[in-house]
Amino acid sequence: MEHVIKELNEFLKGQYMGIHSYEHYIQKVKDSKIKKEFQQIQQEHKIHAMKVAERIQNLGGKPVDDEGFVGSIQGFINQLNLPDTPEGLIKGALKGEDFGIQMSEEIVKGDLDAESRELIEEILDRDRQHTFLLSKLIQ
């Protein structure tokens, strides 16, 4: 189970990166409709993080409580490069979601137990819906 806990913690770090990224987007965007979408997606990432943390605890592990050192450095760099336009912010969020999905798919390719895999698949499905919602905002 130790490897499952490790993989779930890596996935959890990604959820924290998403939460923090959306915080930066929310602070920067002026359009209330876009801000509301960003807030909704951020809320879902918080719920996902909570569910994954609970799963780790139920497996006897200790969940991480942030994105880790590498994630915090990436977040800081991304914050410096945030665009000023609503479309630029949406594209940045979309790029982040896509990257998060790709990284998460890599993380969970390993040997997860059935319950953990089901949880992660549900979260990834929802993250894919985020990309759909964000791309509709650009049109």
PDB file of all heavy atoms in Angstrom, residues 4 14-15 27 29 33 38 45 62-63 69 85 88 110 123 126 131 134-135:
ATOM      1  N   VAL A   4       0.920   3.008  -3.289  1.00  0.00           N
ATOM      2  CA  VAL A   4      -0.378   3.643  -3.588  1.00  0.00           C
ATOM      3  C   VAL A   4      -0.451   4.993  -2.881  1.00  0.00           C
ATOM      4  O   VAL A   4      -0.835   6.002  -3.475  1.00  0.00           O
ATOM      5  CB  VAL A   4      -1.554   2.734  -3.168  1.00  0.00           C
ATOM      6  CG1 VAL A   4      -2.882   3.474  -3.302  1.00  0.00           C
ATOM      7  CG2 VAL A   4      -1.564   1.452  -3.997  1.00  0.00           C
ATOM      8  N   GLY A  14      -0.595  17.886  -7.074  1.00  0.00           N
ATOM      9  CA  GLY A  14      -1.117  18.514  -8.285  1.00  0.00           C
ATOM     10  C   GLY A  14      -2.416  19.254  -8.034  1.00  0.00           C
ATOM     11  O   GLY A  14      -2.651  20.335  -8.584  1.00  0.00           O
ATOM     12  N   GLN A  15      -3.259  18.703  -7.176  1.00  0.00           N
ATOM     13  CA  GLN A  15      -4.506  19.387  -6.837  1.00  0.00           C
ATOM     14  C   GLN A  15      -4.207  20.698  -6.115  1.00  0.00           C
ATOM     15  O   GLN A  15      -4.836  21.716  -6.379  1.00  0.00           O
ATOM     16  CB  GLN A  15      -5.402  18.488  -5.969  1.00  0.00           C
ATOM     17  CG  GLN A  15      -5.970  17.292  -6.703  1.00  0.00           C
ATOM     18  CD  GLN A  15      -6.858  17.673  -7.874  1.00  0.00           C
ATOM     19  OE1 GLN A  15      -7.771  18.474  -7.750  1.00  0.00           O
ATOM     20  NE2 GLN A  15      -6.568  17.108  -9.029  1.00  0.00           N
ATOM     21  N   GLN A  27      -7.493  36.480  -8.497  1.00  0.00           N
ATOM     22  CA  GLN A  27      -7.034  37.804  -8.072  1.00  0.00           C
ATOM     23  C   GLN A  27      -6.827  38.737  -9.257  1.00  0.00           C
ATOM     24  O   GLN A  27      -7.013  39.940  -9.145  1.00  0.00           O
ATOM     25  CB  GLN A  27      -5.723  37.697  -7.272  1.00  0.00           C
ATOM     26  CG  GLN A  27      -5.836  36.910  -5.989  1.00  0.00           C
ATOM     27  CD  GLN A  27      -6.876  37.464  -5.040  1.00  0.00           C
ATOM     28  OE1 GLN A  27      -6.989  38.664  -4.857  1.00  0.00           O
ATOM     29  NE2 GLN A  27      -7.670  36.575  -4.450  1.00  0.00           N
ATOM     30  N   VAL A  29      -8.221  38.451 -12.574  1.00  0.00           N
ATOM     31  CA  VAL A  29      -9.306  38.656 -13.549  1.00  0.00           C
ATOM     32  C   VAL A  29     -10.324  39.669 -13.035  1.00  0.00           C
ATOM     33  O   VAL A  29     -10.638  39.696 -11.844  1.00  0.00           O
ATOM     34  CB  VAL A  29      -9.979  37.310 -13.917  1.00  0.00           C
ATOM     35  CG1 VAL A  29     -10.851  36.784 -12.796  1.00  0.00           C
ATOM     36  CG2 VAL A  29     -10.782  37.432 -15.197  1.00  0.00           C
ATOM     37  N   LYS A  33     -18.006  37.132 -14.640  1.00  0.00           N
ATOM     38  CA  LYS A  33     -18.431  35.814 -15.141  1.00  0.00           C
ATOM     39  C   LYS A  33     -17.245  34.847 -15.130  1.00  0.00           C
ATOM     40  O   LYS A  33     -17.364  33.704 -14.687  1.00  0.00           O
ATOM     41  CB  LYS A  33     -19.002  35.944 -16.555  1.00  0.00           C
ATOM     42  CG  LYS A  33     -19.456  34.632 -17.139  1.00  0.00           C
ATOM     43  CD  LYS A  33     -19.923  34.780 -18.578  1.00  0.00           C
ATOM     44  CE  LYS A  33     -20.247  33.409 -19.148  1.00  0.00           C
ATOM     45  NZ  LYS A  33     -20.211  33.380 -20.595  1.00  0.00           N
ATOM     46  N   PHE A  38     -13.794  30.544 -12.524  1.00  0.00           N
ATOM     47  CA  PHE A  38     -12.533  30.194 -11.871  1.00  0.00           C
ATOM     48  C   PHE A  38     -12.778  29.762 -10.420  1.00  0.00           C
ATOM     49  O   PHE A  38     -12.190  28.804  -9.932  1.00  0.00           O
ATOM     50  CB  PHE A  38     -11.559  31.373 -11.900  1.00  0.00           C
ATOM     51  CG  PHE A  38     -10.891  31.625 -13.227  1.00  0.00           C
ATOM     52  CD1 PHE A  38     -10.108  32.749 -13.402  1.00  0.00           C
ATOM     53  CD2 PHE A  38     -11.022  30.754 -14.299  1.00  0.00           C
ATOM     54  CE1 PHE A  38      -9.462  33.009 -14.610  1.00  0.00           C
ATOM     55  CE2 PHE A  38     -10.393  31.000 -15.518  1.00  0.00           C
ATOM     56  CZ  PHE A  38      -9.613  32.134 -15.669  1.00  0.00           C
ATOM     57  N   HIS A  45     -11.440  21.691  -7.130  1.00  0.00           N
ATOM     58  CA  HIS A  45     -10.093  21.196  -6.821  1.00  0.00           C
ATOM     59  C   HIS A  45      -9.925  21.030  -5.302  1.00  0.00           C
ATOM     60  O   HIS A  45      -9.278  20.082  -4.852  1.00  0.00           O
ATOM     61  CB  HIS A  45      -9.017  22.132  -7.380  1.00  0.00           C
ATOM     62  CG  HIS A  45      -8.770  21.939  -8.844  1.00  0.00           C
ATOM     63  ND1 HIS A  45      -8.251  20.787  -9.376  1.00  0.00           N
ATOM     64  CD2 HIS A  45      -8.979  22.762  -9.901  1.00  0.00           C
ATOM     65  CE1 HIS A  45      -8.143  20.899 -10.687  1.00  0.00           C
ATOM     66  NE2 HIS A  45      -8.592  22.096 -11.035  1.00  0.00           N
ATOM     67  N   LYS A  62      -0.134   9.434   5.488  1.00  0.00           N
ATOM     68  CA  LYS A  62      -0.248  10.840   5.886  1.00  0.00           C
ATOM     69  C   LYS A  62      -0.272  11.678   4.612  1.00  0.00           C
ATOM     70  O   LYS A  62       0.698  11.694   3.851  1.00  0.00           O
ATOM     71  CB  LYS A  62       0.955  11.225   6.750  1.00  0.00           C
ATOM     72  CG  LYS A  62       0.898  12.675   7.236  1.00  0.00           C
ATOM     73  CD  LYS A  62       2.123  13.004   8.072  1.00  0.00           C
ATOM     74  CE  LYS A  62       2.078  14.377   8.703  1.00  0.00           C
ATOM     75  NZ  LYS A  62       1.697  15.481   7.864  1.00  0.00           N
ATOM     76  N   PRO A  63      -1.385  12.380   4.368  1.00  0.00           N
ATOM     77  CA  PRO A  63      -1.463  13.192   3.159  1.00  0.00           C
ATOM     78  C   PRO A  63      -0.572  14.426   3.236  1.00  0.00           C
ATOM     79  O   PRO A  63      -0.418  15.016   4.305  1.00  0.00           O
ATOM     80  CB  PRO A  63      -2.933  13.597   3.077  1.00  0.00           C
ATOM     81  CG  PRO A  63      -3.529  13.303   4.402  1.00  0.00           C
ATOM     82  CD  PRO A  63      -2.614  12.395   5.140  1.00  0.00           C
ATOM     83  N   PHE A  69       7.947  21.569  -2.749  1.00  0.00           N
ATOM     84  CA  PHE A  69       8.907  22.601  -3.117  1.00  0.00           C
ATOM     85  C   PHE A  69       8.909  22.896  -4.614  1.00  0.00           C
ATOM     86  O   PHE A  69       8.800  24.039  -5.033  1.00  0.00           O
ATOM     87  CB  PHE A  69      10.320  22.192  -2.656  1.00  0.00           C
ATOM     88  CG  PHE A  69      11.360  23.210  -3.002  1.00  0.00           C
ATOM     89  CD1 PHE A  69      11.406  24.424  -2.326  1.00  0.00           C
ATOM     90  CD2 PHE A  69      12.276  22.976  -4.004  1.00  0.00           C
ATOM     91  CE1 PHE A  69      12.362  25.382  -2.648  1.00  0.00           C
ATOM     92  CE2 PHE A  69      13.240  23.927  -4.324  1.00  0.00           C
ATOM     93  CZ  PHE A  69      13.275  25.129  -3.650  1.00  0.00           C
ATOM     94  N   THR A  85      -4.937  39.947 -20.013  1.00  0.00           N
ATOM     95  CA  THR A  85      -6.245  39.921 -20.674  1.00  0.00           C
ATOM     96  C   THR A  85      -7.086  38.754 -20.157  1.00  0.00           C
ATOM     97  O   THR A  85      -6.538  37.718 -19.769  1.00  0.00           O
ATOM     98  CB  THR A  85      -6.079  39.760 -22.199  1.00  0.00           C
ATOM     99  OG1 THR A  85      -5.496  38.475 -22.459  1.00  0.00           O
ATOM    100  CG2 THR A  85      -5.215  40.857 -22.778  1.00  0.00           C
ATOM    101  N   GLY A  88      -6.261  35.711 -22.137  1.00  0.00           N
ATOM    102  CA  GLY A  88      -4.957  35.184 -21.750  1.00  0.00           C
ATOM    103  C   GLY A  88      -5.024  34.397 -20.455  1.00  0.00           C
ATOM    104  O   GLY A  88      -4.395  33.343 -20.316  1.00  0.00           O
ATOM    105  N   GLY A 110       0.356   3.667 -12.441  1.00  0.00           N
ATOM    106  CA  GLY A 110       0.925   2.617 -11.594  1.00  0.00           C
ATOM    107  C   GLY A 110      -0.124   1.692 -11.021  1.00  0.00           C
ATOM    108  O   GLY A 110      -1.242   1.581 -11.530  1.00  0.00           O
ATOM    109  N   ILE A 123     -12.101  12.153 -10.618  1.00  0.00           N
ATOM    110  CA  ILE A 123     -11.509  13.493 -10.546  1.00  0.00           C
ATOM    111  C   ILE A 123     -10.987  13.913 -11.921  1.00  0.00           C
ATOM    112  O   ILE A 123     -11.215  15.042 -12.361  1.00  0.00           O
ATOM    113  CB  ILE A 123     -10.401  13.547  -9.476  1.00  0.00           C
ATOM    114  CG1 ILE A 123     -11.030  13.395  -8.079  1.00  0.00           C
ATOM    115  CG2 ILE A 123      -9.596  14.845  -9.580  1.00  0.00           C
ATOM    116  CD1 ILE A 123     -10.030  13.213  -6.956  1.00  0.00           C
ATOM    117  N   ARG A 126     -13.728  14.972 -14.183  1.00  0.00           N
ATOM    118  CA  ARG A 126     -14.195  16.322 -13.837  1.00  0.00           C
ATOM    119  C   ARG A 126     -13.192  17.376 -14.336  1.00  0.00           C
ATOM    120  O   ARG A 126     -13.595  18.421 -14.839  1.00  0.00           O
ATOM    121  CB  ARG A 126     -14.398  16.424 -12.315  1.00  0.00           C
ATOM    122  CG  ARG A 126     -15.139  17.644 -11.902  1.00  0.00           C
ATOM    123  CD  ARG A 126     -16.574  17.672 -12.443  1.00  0.00           C
ATOM    124  NE  ARG A 126     -17.060  19.030 -12.382  1.00  0.00           N
ATOM    125  CZ  ARG A 126     -17.756  19.635 -13.335  1.00  0.00           C
ATOM    126  NH1 ARG A 126     -18.108  18.994 -14.408  1.00  0.00           N
ATOM    127  NH2 ARG A 126     -18.125  20.888 -13.195  1.00  0.00           N
ATOM    128  N   THR A 131     -11.691  21.672 -18.660  1.00  0.00           N
ATOM    129  CA  THR A 131     -11.076  22.152 -19.899  1.00  0.00           C
ATOM    130  C   THR A 131     -12.161  22.513 -20.912  1.00  0.00           C
ATOM    131  O   THR A 131     -12.030  23.499 -21.634  1.00  0.00           O
ATOM    132  CB  THR A 131     -10.100  21.128 -20.523  1.00  0.00           C
ATOM    133  OG1 THR A 131     -10.795  19.944 -20.875  1.00  0.00           O
ATOM    134  CG2 THR A 131      -8.956  20.806 -19.574  1.00  0.00           C
ATOM    135  N   LEU A 134     -13.686  25.891 -19.792  1.00  0.00           N
ATOM    136  CA  LEU A 134     -12.750  26.986 -20.039  1.00  0.00           C
ATOM    137  C   LEU A 134     -12.664  27.311 -21.533  1.00  0.00           C
ATOM    138  O   LEU A 134     -12.657  28.477 -21.911  1.00  0.00           O
ATOM    139  CB  LEU A 134     -11.360  26.640 -19.499  1.00  0.00           C
ATOM    140  CG  LEU A 134     -11.231  26.612 -17.975  1.00  0.00           C
ATOM    141  CD1 LEU A 134      -9.923  25.948 -17.564  1.00  0.00           C
ATOM    142  CD2 LEU A 134     -11.344  28.006 -17.387  1.00  0.00           C
ATOM    143  N   SER A 135     -12.625  26.279 -22.378  1.00  0.00           N
ATOM    144  CA  SER A 135     -12.527  26.546 -23.808  1.00  0.00           C
ATOM    145  C   SER A 135     -13.793  27.228 -24.326  1.00  0.00           C
ATOM    146  O   SER A 135     -13.715  28.040 -25.253  1.00  0.00           O
ATOM    147  CB  SER A 135     -12.223  25.265 -24.588  1.00  0.00           C
ATOM    148  OG  SER A 135     -13.235  24.312 -24.388  1.00  0.00           O
TER     149      SER A 135
END
